[in-house]
Amino acid sequence: MEKIVMVDLPGQYRKIKREIDSAMNKVIETGAFINGPEVKSFRENLRSYLNTAHAITCANGTDALQIALMALDLKKGDEIITTPFTFIATVEAIALLGLKPVFADACPRCFNIDAKAVEKVVTPKTKVILPVHLYGQCANMDAIMEIANRHHLYVVEDAAQSLGSEYTFDNGLVKKAGNIGHIGCTSFFPSKNLGCFGDGGALVTNNPDLAEKMQAITHHGSRVKYYHDMVGVNSRLDTLQAAILDVKLRYLDRFNQARIEAADYYDEALSGIDGLILPKRMSQSTHIFHTYTIKTAARNRDRLKDYLAGRGIPTMIYYPLPMHLQKGYSGYGYREGDFPVAEELCSTVLSLPMHTELKTDQLGHICTAVHDFFKNNAK
Ligand SMILES: *Cc1c(COP(=O)(O)O)cnc(C)c1O
């Protein structure tokens, strides 16, 4: 059996090496490292894949979130409703712009923001709802869009972990993650479902004015070279990364399918274990398993992690501390106990190895080890 890893980037590369190498060589030979034709091509292919009117590339997913919020003409102190159970980037973008993160607790089974909790924290200062489609599955966008429409709020989606996942509305309409709200943000960090060989990010929208403005913001707030209509940033996707992503985008559905098949294996092999909760697949969203995240009682979580490590199986905790309890964000005045679901998730979730190259013998070894833990070691 090959060594088990959390994410197997070299293994995936070997499968598409010829295409990737040739795309990279082409960029190197032309020397168009910044804003080369591959950037435009990838932007167009991403736009078309997500079925949006506009796509803008940028340097990473954190920038994408910041650029989205910069484009919305918000004032200092305006409130952005988001989840406390996410990666810090979501909240960092809000804080950096002097906006106020207002948290709505997560849902204990789907891990995404709880729409009922969102409704309760809307105030006259609320301007944006920022749902995160965590672990590969969309948040409850029927309810979130309804609340946003009723209160005239923007919806900015953090689709960094869910590129390719699809949401089916109650009325049957199907949309891809990122193409549901006013702006969708994503990341091409190497381990994401669509990852490059460094950093990368993108924004998508169906609003031409927002698209034009976000494009200008990524380019120092400039529409005409050396004239700056607003304060922007310098946030570009390298041509090399765009060339790699353009190849990998063609494989994204197949890659996501490989993750789903690994998840199917886990679901079946791990079902019926007392004390183990498997990830729930919501009926409204496909799940593309950026992570395969299980839950156990808090007293067993770290013991399970250590036990698996002892059998050569890496695992990760996404995330060990909720956003409202992060030291750097204590200024917002949140306390322990404010978001009990997010806090509980932080002490009970555990992500098993998940990537496109998992082999059946590896999956079997992982599942046997989990069974053994619950038979002999769980408390
Ligand atoms: C990865 C990630 C980001 C940020 O992406 P970077 O490209 O690393 O800046 C933002 N939000 C979530 C939920 C993520 O998982």
Side-chain angles (χ1 to χ4, degrees):
M1 187 180 67
E2 274 172 63
K3 180 171 183 278
I4 298 174
V5 291
M6 216 38 218
V7 176
D8 183 9
L9 298 176
Q12 188 187 62
Y13 164 65
R14 281 193 289 275
K15 282 198 174 150
I16 52 173
K17 178 172 163 42
R18 276 227 316 250
E19 282 172 88
I20 296 271
D21 289 0
S22 123
M24 288 179 71
N25 279 328
K26 202 170 144 214
V27 176
I28 295 166
E29 274 160 24
T30 57
F33 295 114
I34 299 293
N35 286 335
E38 287 79 2
V39 177
K40 202 168 159 204
S41 158
F42 172 64
R43 211 190 292 141
E44 170 54 24
N45 290 329
L46 180 70
R47 186 203 66 68
S48 151
Y49 177 80
L50 294 174
N51 201 19
T52 59
H54 307 275
I56 293 133
T57 49
C58 63
N60 56 65
T62 310
D63 277 8
L65 290 160
Q66 181 179 331
I67 292 159
L69 294 174
M70 285 173 81
L72 295 179
D73 288 323
L74 304 172
K75 292 189 304 294
K76 294 244 177 297
D78 280 350
E79 296 176 1
I80 317 294
I81 300 175
T82 193
T83 170
F85 190 61
T86 180
F87 177 59
I88 193 66
T90 318
V91 185
E92 191 178 48
I94 298 169
L96 277 171
L97 297 173
L99 304 165
K100 185 178 175 203
V102 171
F103 296 112
D105 209 351
C107 138
R109 278 306 274 124
C110 75
F111 308 122
N112 277 318
I113 195 167
D114 179 355
K116 284 195 285 295
V118 170
E119 179 81 65
K120 289 187 191 134
V121 292
V122 175
T123 75
K125 282 193 160 174
T126 307
K127 294 291 152 55
V128 180
I129 306 176
L130 205 174
V132 179
H133 305 309
L134 204 69
Y135 298 159
Q137 189 164 238
C138 296
N140 178 354
M141 295 309 288
D142 274 287
I144 289 168
M145 295 310 292
E146 191 277 321
I147 296 167
N149 289 337
R150 192 150 33 81
H151 295 280
H152 307 288
L153 308 175
Y154 286 110
V155 173
V156 174
E157 301 169 68
D158 182 341
Q161 301 188 4
S162 292
L163 205 69
S165 105
E166 279 183 343
Y167 186 86
T168 304
F169 282 86
D170 290 343
N171 67 10
L173 192 65
V174 180
K175 288 189 176 185
K176 284 215 159 75
N179 185 29
I180 304 171
H182 300 86
I183 303 173
C185 302
T186 199
S187 160
F188 307 121
F189 186 83
S191 64
K192 301 282 153 100
N193 289 43
L194 179 62
C196 59
F197 292 3
D199 275 309
L203 301 125
V204 292
T205 183
N206 291 303
N207 178 318
D209 298 330
L210 285 177
E212 193 277 333
K213 193 162 175 201
M214 294 191 299
Q215 179 64 54
I217 291 170
T218 62
H219 192 62
H220 301 287
S222 161
R223 293 173 168 118
V224 176
K225 210 174 168 83
Y226 304 126
Y227 292 83
H228 304 275
D229 299 342
M230 59 201 137
V231 178
V233 293
N234 173 27
S235 188
R236 296 183 286 237
L237 181 70
D238 293 353
T239 313
L240 271 171
Q241 302 303 345
I244 292 160
L245 288 166
D246 224 359
V247 172
K248 289 186 73 176
L249 181 60
R250 296 200 288 273
Y251 290 91
L252 179 59
D253 287 341
R254 268 172 278 178
F255 287 159
N256 284 343
Q257 187 54 35
R259 290 172 179 271
I260 291 167
E261 281 163 21
D264 290 344
Y265 188 107
Y266 279 137
D267 275 2
E268 199 178 317
L270 298 176
S271 71
I273 298 181
D274 212 23
L276 177 69
I277 299 173
L278 302 180
K280 186 171 170 66
R281 304 191 193 196
M282 307 303 286
S283 58
Q284 311 94 306
S285 175
T286 58
H287 199 324
I288 52 160
F289 291 98
H290 175 61
T291 67
Y292 187 88
T293 302
I294 59 176
K295 267 180 31 166
T296 68
R299 65 181 181 279
N300 281 325
R301 196 268 311 270
D302 292 352
R303 297 177 67 250
L304 173 60
K305 186 176 189 5
D306 293 345
Y307 181 86
L308 294 176
R311 307 225 344 205
I313 301 161
T315 56
M316 291 287 280
I317 296 167
Y318 306 115
Y319 298 92
L321 186 66
M323 297 305 109
H324 66 286
L325 300 180
Q326 298 288 345
K327 194 171 158 200
Y329 294 73
S330 60
Y332 296 107
Y334 290 108
R335 299 258 175 284
E336 200 170 332
D338 285 347
F339 304 101
V341 176
E343 292 168 22
E344 190 251 354
L345 291 175
C346 288
S347 58
T348 57
V349 293
L350 186 67
S351 300
L352 300 180
M354 174 50 78
H355 54 79
T356 58
E357 311 304 314
L358 277 166
K359 304 292 182 303
T360 310
D361 60 345
Q362 297 176 316
L363 288 163
H365 177 75
I366 297 165
C367 294
T368 304
V370 173
H371 274 278
D372 289 349
F373 174 81
F374 281 96
K375 235 178 275 152
N376 308 317
N377 299 72
K379 280 190 182 157

